[in-house]
Amino acid sequence: MSDILILNGRVVDPSSGLDAERDVLLRHGRVAAVEMPGALRVAKAKETIDAKGMIVAPGLVDVHVHLREPGQTYKESIKTGTAAAAAGGFTSVVAMPNTVPVNDTVARLEWMLDAARGACVKLFAMPAATFGSLGEEITDFHQLQRAGAVGFTDDGKPVLVDRVMRAALVAAAGIGVPVSQHAEDTRLTGGCSMNAGPVAFRLGLRGMTVEAESKIVERDVRLLKDIEQHDGLRPHLHVQHVSTAKAMEAIRQAKREGLHVTCEVAPHHFTLTDEAIGEYDTNAKMNPPLRNDADRLAMIAGLMDGTVDCIATDHAPHALFEKEQEFERAPNGITGLETALGLALRVLHKGQGMSISRVIELMSAHPARVVSLDGRGTLRVDSFADVVVFDPAAEWNFEAVKSRSKSRNTPFDGAPMLGRVVATISEGTLVYRG
Amino acid sequence: MKSSEYAAGSLLTVANLSVEDVAAILAATDRLERMAAAERARILAGRRIALLFYESSTRTRTSFELAAKSLGAMTTLVSDKSSSIEKGESLKDTGLTLRALGAECIVLRHANSGAPYLLAKATGLPVLNAGDGMHEHPSQALLDLRTMLARLSGVGGRLVNGKTLDGVTVVITGDILHSRVARSNAMLLPRLGAKVVLCGPKELLPEDALGLGVHGASGCVVIERDFDKALKQAQVVMMLRIQRERLAGLELDLGDYISRYQLDEERLAARSPEALVMHPGPMIRGLEIAGEVADGPNSAIEDQVRHGLAVRTALLVRALGVGGFESVTV
Ligand SMILES: [Zn+2]
């Protein structure tokens, strides 16, 4: 690993409260020095990046991506998915377990994390909370954690049975990792393909109610309290892709009560509403679905007031032929790794006045903390040399055709973005150059 | 609306029709109806129309088929009942196959809402939506409109514009939730000035239905749960079939429904003796509508069928860009 010197940039590192012009030296895959401009001029580096006018930040961390390998590499592979991550400024991604087969054993987890898969940024994984993600019997959390699991989830589905979810929370609490929950009461959403409301009525589509999401969050919070009371443990619930004001309020309340609850919001949920479905555009079909504007604004409020811990993409690639189906039959999900920063800066920074430092915190330091990635999401000396350099003023339009992902299923094709990634460095290696 | 993605002459939703389009379609319907049969049969002579029916529908299919044949077109029926829809083949690929076989227009009935958009986009052919899922049935709304214009006193002579149905209240009663006919009518009629009153119990008529109301229209869409109250205002009462197969899971007592929402002679005579009675069919006599009312003097149910055939000739002519529709845009 050769040295990289990043000169003249505005270093924004929320983990150390730094937002000032600094030069940064990366050496042996670590952050070697962060110094006043000019102080590192004498350092010899194989590569020098002039970051004048740019922001130099810790590499972004995404706790929620679908990389489709094993089993569905026609949609995406670990290699292409992490390439898309690098292009989006991400240096750490957490793969969800709904692969084929489901990632629910040590052997599968190790296979996935093996360097032979060709990940170009740091790959982490959350294996399934239950075998086959069937919601019946919890997997071997202990063994899986020793093999690298950073949390457990049945994402794509909820852990519906109270007893099973309780067991998962207890087991995870014992080893200090979160249970990440896809909050959807699937007993209430059968046959539904979008958000319930006037748009669904007009389009003649069955709609998912907001209660289908909030009820599971409320149930999980009850379980947390019960476990704290009766088991003397402090479980960590992470609520995935929150999309409704009701669930957001339940999380806010749980945090007030001092429970260990964290949550994420996806860029599409703070950017779009169900109107984006237009004339049955399956690129606007995802789960949880796009909601109404009040819910969208509640996501922004949660991001602004600190209820939301991090932004996560829920990057979910699908092949064109799968999305080119009747709306109700098309699979859920959109790609998101390459549009997350551009949307966050446009909607939250430019639109809502959120500081850039705070945007970065929500996309690096905080998500790294949610899954306890030591030495990531920070530019402190000795931490991993995971860095993103981006031009915060660049206004551009995303072009799906240029994506590094194998798939093109995004509602943001042609959409305006703010802030453009010019370099992504993962553990000291330049993995993307814009 | 990204209407440019679809071929001119497509009819996917009434929402994409301007009032001028509606006027043109109705004028063409009149023209075609006045024509001698032999002359009409030359209009689409040799043209190929595919009827792609993933859901059975005797009434709509026959209506489109007879309309096409009366214009001299060749039709082919592809239905999921025959073996001609390859199992598992995508709608897009089926559409491309039909196009390759020379189809110039596809009439589509499909169980999934929005399927006609997909087909129109994939093939670039004009597509006529003959009913998609719970979404729309645009040709039905047009034939219903023509039936009203023909039967309502004082309305018949009016020009077709945003005021044609001023002062007319249309009550649509029944299973609005699952009804594509209700959606198309509730979106179309207010644009011509009508007040549309949707009526039914909460299970079959959620408040979200108010979203069908069109901004800037002189007419409006409202909800009235009490059928008797609604009926008192009605110049037209449109009854919808109760789709028993869709009631599973809904807490709806059929006996209670009949007593509150059935249109029977006594109710009609007491509340709105002059109202025009309509039903898109198929109807279940004795459930949503009493047999005497369906056969009575107020009933326009058979007229609807006749107007359906006529309106569909105009829609096919429009789809193929002839007969005054050469420069049609959607
Ligand atoms: Zn999920």
Side-chain angles (χ1 to χ4, degrees):
Chain A
M1 271 171 278
S2 50
D3 296 359
I4 299 179
L5 195 51
I6 307 168
L7 299 176
N8 310 315
R10 172 181 157 198
V11 173
V12 179
D13 180 18
S15 75
S16 51
L18 181 65
D19 185 346
E21 248 183 57
R22 291 286 186 278
D23 291 347
V24 178
L25 177 66
L26 309 177
R27 176 168 287 168
H28 305 310
R30 297 274 173 169
V31 177
V34 179
E35 298 290 345
M36 295 300 278
L40 295 172
R41 290 279 148 79
V42 290
K44 284 199 188 82
K46 202 158 183 193
E47 178 120 32
T48 301
I49 296 172
D50 182 7
K52 185 116 195 98
M54 306 288 162
I55 284 181
V56 179
L60 308 181
V61 176
D62 191 344
V63 297
H64 192 153
V65 301
H66 299 272
L67 299 179
R68 307 299 187 205
E69 188 175 2
Q72 296 176 313
T73 49
Y74 64 95
K75 297 176 196 253
E76 191 80 286
S77 65
I78 287 171
K79 193 172 174 192
T80 58
T82 54
F90 290 91
T91 53
S92 300
V93 294
V94 179
M96 294 294 108
N98 61 338
T99 46
V100 184
V102 169
N103 177 22
D104 57 4
T105 64
V106 167
R108 283 177 197 146
L109 176 60
E110 286 176 340
W111 182 90
M112 193 185 271
L113 298 180
D114 194 303
R117 301 288 86 73
C120 74
V121 303
K122 186 66 185 174
L123 176 63
F124 296 92
M126 279 196 197
T130 67
F131 282 104
S133 287
L134 295 172
E136 289 160 9
E137 190 193 342
I138 67 167
T139 51
D140 190 337
F141 284 19
H142 232 281
Q143 292 293 332
L144 286 163
Q145 189 199 27
R146 282 167 50 179
V150 296
F152 296 90
T153 181
D154 280 352
D155 183 37
K157 306 174 188 175
V159 180
L160 218 48
V161 179
D162 293 11
R163 175 180 49 78
V164 179
M165 186 59 185
R166 194 182 195 286
L169 286 166
V170 166
I175 55 175
V177 296
V179 175
S180 203
Q181 177 77 294
H182 171 112
E184 175 192 357
D185 191 334
T186 45
R187 292 164 297 200
L188 304 176
T189 57
C192 297
S193 55
M194 65 173 292
N195 180 46
V199 181
F201 191 91
R202 177 163 52 77
L203 293 173
L205 296 170
R206 290 171 204 278
M208 306 185 190
T209 60
V210 297
E211 286 77 18
E213 176 173 280
S214 61
K215 278 192 165 128
I216 294 295
V217 174
E218 288 159 10
R219 189 278 312 256
D220 290 347
V221 168
R222 280 198 303 276
L223 289 173
L224 289 185
K225 283 187 207 167
D226 182 69
I227 293 167
E228 285 206 2
Q229 250 171 38
H230 294 100
D231 302 59
L233 290 165
R234 190 170 157 74
H236 175 187
L237 170 73
H238 179 71
V239 186
Q240 298 179 310
H241 42 48
V242 183
S243 68
T244 63
K246 234 175 170 162
M248 186 66 74
E249 190 48 42
I251 292 162
R252 190 175 281 123
Q253 189 55 38
K255 287 190 165 197
R256 258 187 220 130
E257 292 175 36
L259 296 163
H260 193 185
V261 179
T262 56
C263 73
E264 68 193 35
V265 165
H268 45 273
H269 286 130
F270 63 69
T271 306
L272 300 175
T273 67
D274 53 7
E275 298 274 2
I277 290 166
E279 293 177 339
Y280 303 91
D281 183 358
T282 55
N283 285 325
K285 184 184 180 191
M286 65 284 282
N287 187 12
L290 297 173
R291 305 285 185 177
N292 66 27
D293 207 44
D295 285 316
R296 184 184 77 88
L297 294 173
M299 297 309 101
I300 290 177
L303 285 155
M304 299 302 287
D305 74 9
T307 305
V308 177
D309 296 271
C310 61
I311 293 169
T313 67
D314 194 6
H315 177 78
H318 291 292
L320 181 62
F321 75 88
E322 296 171 309
K323 279 291 195 180
E324 270 189 333
Q325 289 194 76
E326 295 85 335
F327 192 86
E328 289 160 289
R329 296 174 64 170
N332 289 309
I334 65 170
T335 61
L337 286 163
E338 288 156 287
T339 48
L341 181 64
L343 292 171
L345 288 172
R346 191 189 98 205
V347 177
L348 301 176
H349 170 59
K350 191 179 176 191
Q352 302 291 325
M354 181 185 279
S355 71
I356 285 188
S357 171
R358 173 85 180 127
V359 171
I360 292 168
E361 191 171 41
L362 286 165
M363 298 184 78
S364 64
H366 282 184
R369 197 167 67 201
V370 165
V371 286
S372 304
L373 306 184
D374 290 338
R376 315 250 177 208
T378 173
L379 290 179
R380 286 172 194 269
V381 170
D382 279 343
S383 56
F384 289 99
D386 290 348
V387 184
V388 58
V389 182
F390 65 92
D391 177 355
E395 297 193 32
W396 58 291
N397 294 297
F398 179 67
E399 288 174 82
V401 65
K402 292 186 179 165
S403 172
R404 261 76 176 169
S405 169
K406 273 193 193 175
S407 293
R408 302 283 178 268
N409 51 307
T410 168
F412 297 113
D413 193 15
M417 303 281 143
L418 176 64
R420 184 153 210 164
V421 175
V422 297
T424 305
I425 299 154
S426 172
E427 295 188 358
T429 302
L430 191 62
V431 289
Y432 176 79
R433 191 94 209 225
Chain B
M1 291 297 139
K2 295 174 281 179
S3 299
S4 54
E5 286 181 69
Y6 313 109
S10 286
L11 182 58
L12 310 174
T13 164
V14 296
N16 284 355
L17 286 178
S18 67
V19 174
E20 293 72 33
D21 290 332
V22 175
I25 290 165
L26 294 181
T29 308
D30 291 344
R31 271 200 315 276
L32 289 160
E33 207 172 41
R34 283 195 303 267
M35 250 177 222
E39 191 189 346
R40 198 186 309 139
R42 283 194 293 272
I43 297 176
L44 296 184
R47 308 291 297 267
R48 297 178 194 196
I49 293 165
L51 305 166
L52 182 51
F53 274 63
Y54 284 82
E55 250 185 16
S56 54
S57 156
T58 312
R59 180 181 307 245
T60 305
R61 177 179 56 75
T62 312
S63 181
F64 269 111
E65 194 166 3
L66 291 177
K69 293 210 159 107
S70 79
L71 295 160
M74 289 187 281
T75 62
T76 178
L77 171 68
V78 181
S79 82
D80 60 346
K81 298 289 175 284
S82 67
S83 57
S84 38
I85 292 176
E86 299 298 334
K87 281 199 168 37
E89 186 178 59
S90 73
L91 178 60
K92 176 185 174 180
D93 286 335
T94 301
L96 293 177
T97 301
L98 290 175
R99 187 179 71 180
L101 289 169
E104 297 171 84
C105 166
I106 304 176
V107 178
L108 177 69
R109 163 67 68 100
H110 201 286
N112 286 117
S113 299
Y117 293 85
L118 172 64
L119 186 69
K121 216 177 288 183
T123 62
L125 293 176
V127 169
L128 300 181
N129 180 359
D132 61 329
M134 307 178 345
H135 176 228
E136 275 206 58
H137 200 344
S139 64
Q140 178 76 39
L142 290 166
L143 76 87
D144 288 339
L145 171 62
R146 191 168 194 257
T147 307
M148 290 175 211
L149 296 179
R151 286 280 298 257
L152 285 178
S153 61
V155 170
R158 294 187 196 170
L159 285 174
V160 175
N161 57 36
K163 293 181 184 307
T164 306
L165 295 178
D166 271 5
V168 175
T169 296
V170 180
V171 174
I172 307 178
T173 305
D175 185 359
I176 314 273
L177 175 63
H178 297 108
S179 172
R180 44 201 175 207
V181 176
R183 280 178 183 73
S184 286
N185 271 295
M187 285 197 259
L188 178 65
L189 299 176
R191 301 229 308 273
L192 298 162
K195 176 181 179 186
V196 170
V197 179
L198 302 175
C199 187
K202 275 206 161 56
E203 295 86 344
L204 302 179
L205 173 57
E207 297 284 327
D208 291 334
L210 290 173
L212 297 176
V214 189
H215 273 295
S218 58
C220 62
V221 177
V222 299
I223 288 176
E224 170 58 63
R225 304 270 173 211
D226 184 331
F227 187 32
D228 289 303
K229 275 190 194 157
L231 204 50
K232 265 191 221 167
Q233 324 166 35
Q235 276 73 52
V236 180
V237 53
M238 192 181 290
M239 303 305 297
L240 302 174
R241 180 168 72 99
I242 289 301
Q243 309 181 45
R244 286 177 207 260
E245 69 276 15
R246 288 186 150 146
L247 295 184
L250 295 179
E251 282 170 26
L252 194 74
D253 178 332
L254 223 46
D256 178 57
Y257 180 84
I258 289 171
S259 74
R260 288 169 64 198
Y261 294 105
Q262 187 190 69
L263 186 63
D264 57 23
E265 273 188 310
E266 195 192 323
R267 191 167 246 150
L268 185 62
R271 307 293 175 205
S272 202
E274 303 298 318
L276 193 63
V277 173
M278 298 174 71
H279 193 304
M283 62 185 155
I284 308 175
R285 290 163 188 262
L287 211 169
E288 71 270 9
I289 189 166
E292 307 80 60
V293 175
D295 302 327
N298 295 35
S299 172
I301 296 171
E302 274 183 47
D303 296 21
Q304 288 174 273
V305 177
R306 244 190 341 270
H307 287 297
L309 183 60
V311 164
R312 284 167 183 137
T313 56
L315 291 175
L316 290 166
V317 163
R318 176 176 178 268
L320 292 176
V322 295
F325 286 110
E326 286 81 356
S327 61
V328 77
T329 52
V330 282

